[in-house]
Amino acid sequence: MQFGILGETRAWHGDGDEVPLGGPARRALLALLLVRPGEVVSTDRLADEIDPAGALSAHSLQSQVSRLRTALGAGAAIERAGAGYRIVVDPDAVDTSRFERLAGEGRAALADGDAGRAVVLLREALELWRGPALADLPESETARAAAVRLEERRLGALEDRIEAGLRLGEHRAVVPELRELVGRHPLRERLAGLLMRALFAEGGQAEALVVFEETRRHLADELGADPSAELTALHRELLSTDPTPSPAAPPAQLTSFVGRADEVTEVAETLRVARLVTLLGPGGVGKTRLSVEVAGVGGTPDQVCFVELAPLRDGAGLPHALLGALGLRENGLQMDGGAKAPVDRLIAALSDQVLLLVLDNCEHLVDEVARLAARLLAACPRLRVLATSREPLGIIGEHLFPVRPLDEDAAVRLFTERAGAVRHGFTADPEVVRRICAALDDLPLAIELAAARSRTLDIDDLAGRLDDLLAVGARGNRTADERHRTLRSVVAWSWDLLSEPEQRAARRFTVFAGGATARSALRVCGTDGETLEALADKSLLEVAGGRYRMLETIRAYGAERLDAAGERESVRRAHAQRLLELLRTADPHLRRAEQLEWLPVVAAEHGDLLAALRWAVEEPAVETAFELLAAAFNYLWIRGASASVAPLAIALLASVGEAAPDGLGEEYATCVLLAGVASATGEAGGQVWQRHRATAGKALAAAWPGDRSGRYPVVLLLWMMRNAGGPDPQSAFALVSSQRDCPEPWARAAAHYVSGFGHLGRRDPAAAEDAFGQALAEFRSLGDRWGIALALDTLAGVAGARGDRTRALALTDEALVLTERLGALEDSADLLVNRGDHLAGDDPAGARDAYANAVALARRAGSSTYLAAALRGLGDIALEDGDLAEAERLYSEALERNDPHWIKSLGPRVRTLIGLGRVATARSRHTEAREYYRQAVEVADTVGAHAPEVLRMLGLSEKAVESVLEAVAADR
């Protein structure tokens, strides 16, 4: 017999016929007994809850029990137990028990990544509901408590079923249901999040954002609470995506792909339904090559990002490596201290991208890769990951695909093709080739190494040598460990056959983390071009895109040989010196018109820069470490990769104490500035910045006395920006502005730019415009796009202040084009805020659009500074529209996100405080308004000019300035 209390109380015989239970009293009695089958319910409770009016006597209750027993017959036993009754049935015969079991199994299947099975189980569970649970007991306390619990479980099962459907791509089908559910449960954040994801997947980003806003307002109005961290993070994800990322393409392949066509198809098909696939196998079995071929199936280059993890020494650099491969910046051109941590930046960038992320060679970082992959897959619904590793990542949802040696025919074909490439007209007895391949366990790398030897060895001689080396004839199936030993033996054999100059070059090449140009390889390895070509001919090196690289299996063996030769320290030093030479050559070009051509040149060496820096810090080679950081500063700043070296800068400063090393004052200051980048995301960076800032400032001033040049002019301007909100901003301002007659042209341009603000503070806009114009002319002569954009923006501000909005907009739009070319989302957001400010007086709708676009860009870039400025702009629009509540909310959020220690934050902070003061005044909160105005004047005073001039510089009308000053004066 089956029982149902998910709706009206019902019972059915085994053949499906319904049992006539009788009147409401009997149905209520049965329902109370079925809430917890097998548990005793006292007669008093049964009587009270069946008839709360108290009309049901003990005799009447006994009579109802007797009649219910008769109706159920042998289908269930209602037993007297002590002072009550219980029903004895199989728990699974009751629909509530079946529902909870199926719902639990469905949730478990969803957690395991089996969305298809989860949907089946959850649908079956939800179909058991015929109406409100325990509908025959509307007045019962026991029933109410049980019904609330069951309804919560039902909603949870609905959410699980919808989430499983989303994972299966059923976005459009679930939107109507989700809209109805969100309408009935406006405070249920998981439902809101699911609706946001479904809408976004169908291209309805704006609708998804409206759902978040409505949910936020419901939570605030009804609970006085903010959205959860999870819903807020989802909101950020939907807004956070770079418009034009440039992901790294899979490495170019110079040889044909032999065999494994079926495996390529199978892996590609698996990736269509699974979001994480790991190609598993020993070194040399062909995992990387298979991943490259899979990445090229049915996709375009911008849908694949290939990340080589072998060069990474530890997991700390993993997020930075992914950011670099995705072509994303870690911070703004102005080194915004409010930027996101690297993992958050990744989530923001990938949240709505359809992307296959290939993570190659994960085995030495398997724990870190597993954690990061799990987080990215959970937060980014359109992301798929293809990993190659010698061991599984071991996370939920991972599909393992063992990569096995080639089949016999493919192995023979591979050997024949590779041998034919090095020996024209190569022919051989297929049986002999097959014997060679079998001896090599049909491992592709081992076959390629052996085939390369056919250039100088007869095929029979080659077969005999391999038989002697490996002590085998033909082999059957062997374990991964045995195949690894075979591969190592073949690598060692190939190595031993190299000449001494070839061995020396090969072992020295292993210090390169990301490959090398021919010029770098020649310098560091102390070799010649012929030797490099010989190593490529013998498959010890590969050549692609103008760079030599070494397979990780060979590199690991070669590194052992480097240690055995006692050359590691000297070659590491030569490697670091080569990097330093390249960076010093590139640095001036990165401040000129050719910066876009030189950026990729230096970016190609990023992995080697980190490797050289790590060696220099750990050795320690202090002078080399400081010089590398300083020479790399401009590149790191433009590329937005400063955070990747911040931990090394912190470690270097810890090793030298708080005094600048002799002769390295400017390099020391640069190191302190880079360490300060970490202050936004880590306590250590902030402590280092506070400890070293004063000494570094003196060292930088000594390096740039004004009548002669230091080496790294970009550090000057960034130093001023980083110190603007500190205890002594005037010293940094004076240091830069004193370079107007400096022989270094970039420093002169920066000095004129900074001097313009001094003229504005003295209420001399004509002189300010001249200074900004001179800065623009000098930056244009150099061709530095960011410097040009900086000067254009300030000139636009001057034009806007005098009412020339047409010129202001034209200059701002020209600057926007330049920052977009540099991929500087943060600076583009800043310019959009300024554009909104220029439009606000005449075109409020256009201003609102500019601010909204700035909000989206700032969120994608993770910039608190520019997000605060954009929110302030939207607050101004709301205030002008008379929406005081919305204006106050926007201003408050802007103030919360504003970084008081960053120069770009000072103006927005003043305007936000004044906006809050205006809202308070409009609401007759005059004491509060005066306090906001007092804070605004206090912040304005920190700029170093008189507050009235600063307020006017920010575009406030004379009336607004007067009202602020009057309120502050009254307060005093």
Side-chain angles (χ1 to χ4, degrees):
M1 184 171 285
Q2 299 292 311
F3 299 90
I5 56 175
L6 294 177
E8 293 182 352
T9 307
R10 299 173 70 177
W12 299 269
H13 292 294
D15 58 7
D17 290 341
E18 187 169 352
V19 177
L21 296 174
R26 241 165 290 159
R27 292 180 182 275
L29 170 62
L30 179 58
L32 284 169
L33 293 172
L34 289 172
V35 169
R36 291 185 177 87
E39 292 188 13
V40 176
V41 185
S42 70
T43 55
D44 289 343
R45 174 174 291 183
L46 288 171
D48 289 344
E49 298 201 22
I50 291 172
D51 185 2
L56 189 66
S57 65
H59 176 73
S60 297
L61 174 63
Q62 185 177 5
S63 176
Q64 293 293 344
V65 169
S66 177
R67 292 175 185 177
L68 183 59
R69 283 173 174 157
T70 300
L72 297 178
I78 299 177
E79 299 178 346
R80 179 81 185 197
Y85 293 93
R86 67 183 175 192
I87 188 168
V88 180
V89 295
D90 181 355
D92 213 42
V94 185
D95 57 2
T96 52
S97 298
R98 290 202 306 282
F99 163 73
E100 296 201 70
R101 175 178 59 77
L102 290 166
E105 291 175 0
R107 173 162 288 189
L110 183 63
D112 289 339
D114 192 346
R117 183 168 184 269
V119 166
V120 172
L121 289 167
L122 291 162
R123 281 179 177 162
E124 185 178 349
L126 292 165
E127 285 170 359
L128 293 170
W129 285 72
R130 297 167 288 103
L134 297 157
D136 290 301
L137 289 165
E139 305 298 326
S140 164
E141 291 184 11
T142 299
R144 275 200 299 270
V148 168
R149 181 181 64 81
L150 288 165
E151 176 62 23
E152 177 63 27
R153 289 300 310 274
R154 186 181 74 86
L155 276 173
L158 267 172
E159 291 168 336
D160 290 340
R161 194 260 296 156
I162 291 170
E163 182 172 333
L166 290 178
R167 293 189 188 183
L168 294 173
E170 299 172 357
H171 308 102
R172 183 172 302 174
V174 300
V175 166
E177 180 183 15
L178 276 169
R179 285 192 188 279
E180 190 269 335
L181 286 169
V182 169
R184 284 197 283 120
H185 305 280
L187 301 180
R188 198 167 180 93
E189 293 185 72
R190 188 183 178 196
L191 283 174
L194 290 169
L195 178 56
M196 289 166 66
R197 288 196 181 280
L199 289 169
F200 184 78
E202 289 298 304
Q205 183 178 22
E207 292 179 272
L209 298 178
V210 168
V211 171
F212 174 83
E213 184 58 25
E214 290 175 346
T215 304
R216 185 197 65 74
R217 289 183 178 178
H218 279 299
L219 290 167
D221 293 345
E222 298 186 33
L223 301 179
D226 294 324
S228 66
E230 292 79 4
L231 194 64
T232 302
L234 173 59
H235 182 242
R236 287 199 305 268
E237 291 168 22
L238 298 184
L239 288 168
S240 304
T241 177
D242 287 336
T244 55
S246 302
Q253 303 298 311
L254 301 181
T255 56
S256 60
F257 183 62
V258 177
R260 304 200 193 280
D262 291 341
E263 288 146 290
V264 171
T265 301
E266 187 175 351
V267 175
E269 288 297 326
T270 303
L271 278 167
R272 297 185 197 282
V273 295
R275 297 184 58 216
L276 171 61
V277 176
T278 300
L279 304 182
L280 207 61
V285 79
K287 302 185 297 294
T288 296
R289 184 61 188 270
L290 179 57
S291 73
V292 170
E293 297 300 323
V294 170
V297 174
T300 56
D302 61 352
Q303 292 176 316
V304 175
C305 180
F306 194 95
V307 190
E308 297 186 48
L309 302 182
L312 295 183
R313 178 174 171 178
D314 55 52
L318 181 60
H320 301 288
L322 265 65
L323 282 172
L326 287 162
L328 298 176
R329 305 171 56 82
E330 294 169 5
N331 52 264
L333 285 169
Q334 299 182 44
M335 293 184 71
D336 173 17
K340 288 182 179 178
V343 175
D344 293 330
R345 179 77 174 91
L346 283 168
I347 291 173
L350 295 174
S351 61
D352 73 334
Q353 282 201 54
V354 178
L355 184 78
L356 174 62
L357 184 64
V358 183
L359 303 177
D360 189 36
N361 289 310
C362 299
E363 50 274 347
H364 63 305
L365 304 172
V366 67
D367 292 336
E368 294 89 346
V369 172
R371 284 193 293 270
L372 181 56
R375 186 169 175 187
L376 291 178
L377 287 167
C380 308
R382 298 181 174 185
L383 178 68
R384 293 172 298 151
V385 174
L386 177 62
T388 74
S389 180
R390 296 181 187 180
E391 60 179 291
L393 301 188
I395 60 178
I396 292 173
E398 180 181 26
H399 284 60
L400 299 179
F401 189 94
V403 181
R404 307 191 185 284
L406 294 172
D407 64 42
E408 294 183 2
D409 292 340
V412 169
R413 191 162 69 254
L414 176 64
F415 184 95
T416 303
E417 286 193 12
R418 299 299 188 261
V422 298
R423 185 171 181 175
H424 182 68
F426 172 82
T427 58
D429 183 348
E431 292 299 324
V432 176
V433 174
R434 176 65 212 132
R435 182 158 58 89
I436 291 173
C437 294
L440 299 172
D441 289 326
D442 295 322
L443 291 170
L445 177 57
I447 289 171
E448 296 207 16
L449 289 172
R453 286 296 165 185
S454 63
R455 181 178 184 180
T456 56
L457 292 175
D458 179 77
I459 187 68
D460 291 320
D461 187 18
L462 176 61
R465 292 194 183 200
L466 288 174
D467 285 346
D468 292 341
L469 171 69
L470 302 173
V472 293
R475 301 184 180 190
N477 293 330
R478 288 158 53 77
T479 67
D481 286 343
E482 290 171 325
R483 291 196 294 268
H484 178 75
R485 287 194 293 271
T486 295
L487 179 61
R488 181 176 174 83
S489 298
V490 174
V491 171
W493 172 70
S494 298
W495 192 279
D496 291 341
L497 291 177
L498 299 175
S499 66
E500 174 53 34
E502 290 170 345
Q503 288 186 1
R504 183 170 59 248
R507 67 177 179 255
R508 292 177 178 177
F509 190 90
T510 61
V511 301
F512 288 103
T517 62
R519 184 174 182 181
S520 292
L522 293 173
R523 288 283 300 279
V524 174
C525 299
T527 188
D528 53 43
E530 185 177 345
T531 300
L532 289 179
E533 290 179 10
L535 290 173
D537 286 343
K538 295 168 184 175
S539 295
L540 274 297
L541 290 180
E542 295 180 340
V543 188
R547 295 178 68 84
Y548 287 90
R549 65 186 297 270
M550 182 176 277
L551 291 177
E552 188 59 23
T553 302
I554 298 171
R555 185 169 177 263
Y557 183 85
E560 295 175 6
R561 300 299 90 207
L562 185 68
D563 285 339
E567 295 179 336
R568 177 170 292 277
E569 181 179 348
S570 62
V571 179
R572 285 284 180 194
R573 190 175 301 279
H575 175 253
Q577 288 299 318
R578 170 57 189 158
L579 263 294
L580 182 59
E581 175 189 287
L582 186 148
L583 290 166
R584 285 176 169 168
T585 300
D587 181 60
H589 295 288
L590 294 175
R591 300 193 299 274
R592 297 173 184 158
E594 58 270 25
Q595 62 188 182
L596 294 184
E597 289 74 33
W598 274 86
L599 272 172
V601 172
V602 185
E605 310 294 340
H606 188 81
D608 281 275
L609 166 63
L610 295 179
L613 270 172
R614 190 176 293 108
W615 168 82
V617 171
E618 293 175 354
E619 179 61 19
V622 172
E623 181 177 351
T624 300
F626 275 117
E627 289 176 337
L628 278 169
L629 282 170
F633 180 83
N634 195 20
Y635 152 71
L636 293 167
W637 165 56
I638 294 175
R639 190 166 181 248
S642 305
S644 66
V645 302
L648 292 168
I650 292 171
L652 178 59
L653 290 170
S655 71
V656 300
E658 298 182 22
D662 292 341
L664 295 170
E666 188 176 7
E667 288 81 358
Y668 165 79
T670 305
C671 184
V672 172
L673 188 55
L674 287 168
V677 171
S679 64
T681 55
E683 182 179 354
Q687 292 174 346
V688 169
W689 171 252
Q690 296 300 328
R691 187 181 309 123
H692 292 268
R693 177 169 56 182
T695 304
K698 294 176 183 177
L700 195 59
W704 289 87
D707 57 349
R708 64 179 186 275
S709 301
R711 288 182 287 271
Y712 305 107
V714 176
V715 176
L716 283 171
L717 186 55
L718 272 295
W719 181 263
M720 189 205 74
M721 291 178 173
R722 189 67 181 87
N723 280 276
D728 187 18
Q730 283 302 309
S731 295
F733 182 90
L735 173 61
V736 181
S737 58
S738 68
Q739 307 300 319
R740 287 188 297 274
D741 298 320
C742 173
E744 212 294 322
W746 203 98
R748 285 199 309 272
H752 287 300
Y753 169 74
V754 170
S755 298
F757 290 101
H759 294 305
L760 284 177
R762 292 185 290 274
R763 299 191 67 179
D764 189 351
E769 191 165 22
D770 286 344
F772 292 140
Q774 194 163 350
L776 176 61
E778 295 197 21
F779 281 130
R780 283 197 194 278
S781 68
L782 291 169
D784 179 13
R785 292 162 181 81
W786 182 74
I788 296 170
L790 208 62
L792 286 168
D793 182 34
T794 51
L795 284 169
V798 174
R802 67 166 179 261
D804 189 352
R805 298 188 184 279
T806 301
R807 175 168 168 75
L809 288 170
L811 292 168
T812 301
D813 289 344
E814 183 181 351
L816 272 166
V817 170
L818 294 171
T819 55
E820 287 171 1
R821 287 179 183 172
L822 287 169
L825 295 185
E826 305 88 338
D827 298 83
S828 294
D830 183 31
L831 288 166
L832 282 168
V833 171
N834 295 344
R835 192 176 203 282
D837 291 344
H838 297 320
L839 287 168
D842 301 325
D843 183 5
R848 182 184 287 105
D849 288 344
Y851 294 138
N853 288 335
V855 166
L857 278 181
R859 289 189 192 278
R860 288 204 292 266
S863 170
S864 295
T865 296
Y866 301 130
L867 177 57
L871 291 169
R872 185 276 310 163
L874 290 174
D876 289 349
I877 298 294
L879 184 59
E880 292 302 317
D881 288 344
D883 190 345
L884 297 180
E886 179 66 0
E888 187 167 26
R889 182 190 72 79
L890 289 164
Y891 286 141
S892 298
E893 185 179 354
L895 194 63
E896 180 183 339
R897 295 177 180 276
N898 185 277
D899 179 0
H901 304 296
W902 190 246
I903 190 170
K904 297 294 291 187
S905 299
L906 298 182
R909 190 174 186 83
V910 171
R911 297 183 69 160
T912 302
L913 288 165
I914 291 173
L916 285 166
R918 292 175 65 194
V919 171
T921 299
R923 291 182 160 179
S924 299
R925 303 197 305 250
H926 298 297
T927 301
E928 183 181 331
R930 285 196 297 273
E931 174 58 21
Y932 282 130
Y933 291 148
R934 185 196 65 75
Q935 292 180 35
V937 171
E938 185 178 279
V939 173
D941 280 336
T942 66
V943 179
H946 295 297
E949 283 73 19
V950 175
L951 298 177
R952 293 184 183 97
M953 286 164 52
L954 293 172
L956 271 70
S957 67
E958 286 298 324
K959 183 178 180 181
V961 172
E962 289 174 8
S963 65
V964 170
L965 297 177
E966 286 173 3
V968 173
D971 192 45
R972 289 173 179 167

